[in-house]
């Protein structure tokens, strides 16, 4: 098995010529999957057949993001 590995394009200092807009790409990725900030939305879990009480979900998300009451 032969693999061709090509060097990635880089500038003179070895850094990439372009930068990937990671934060923008993540937002698009999450939105396309019914997620928000990397967390599946409650209705998305429901459509996947994952049963979780809405109140429990809300508390878990708030705790994960440091927004506990």
């Amino acid at each position: 098995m032969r693999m061709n590995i090509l060097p990635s394009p880089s500038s003179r200092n070895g850094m990439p010529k372009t930068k990937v807009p990671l934060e923008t790409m993540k937002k698009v990725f999450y939105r396309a999957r019914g997620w928000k900030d990397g967390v599946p939305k409650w209705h998305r879990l429901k459509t996947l057949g994952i049963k979780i009480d809405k109140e429990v979900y809300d508390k878990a998300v708030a705790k994960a993001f440091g927004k506990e009451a």
Side-chain angles (χ1 to χ4, degrees):
M1 173 196 251
R2 182 178 173 203
M3 294 177 57
N4 292 329
I5 300 175
L6 301 174
S8 61
S10 61
S11 63
R12 292 181 190 162
N13 64 3
M15 298 300 292
K17 289 182 182 177
T18 61
K19 292 184 180 179
V20 175
L22 185 58
E23 291 305 313
T24 303
M25 290 176 62
K26 284 184 352 185
K27 288 178 184 178
V28 171
F29 176 85
Y30 294 149
R31 190 178 315 120
R33 282 149 186 79
W35 296 9
K36 182 179 180 186
D37 299 323
V39 177
K41 293 180 183 175
W42 180 79
H43 71 272
R44 179 63 178 146
L45 295 175
K46 190 175 175 183
T47 62
L48 293 171
I50 299 171
K51 296 179 182 180
I52 183 170
D53 182 69
K54 177 78 166 109
E55 188 175 322
V56 171
Y57 170 83
D58 290 339
K59 285 181 182 179
V61 170
K63 183 176 181 180
F65 286 98
K67 299 177 184 176
E68 290 184 88

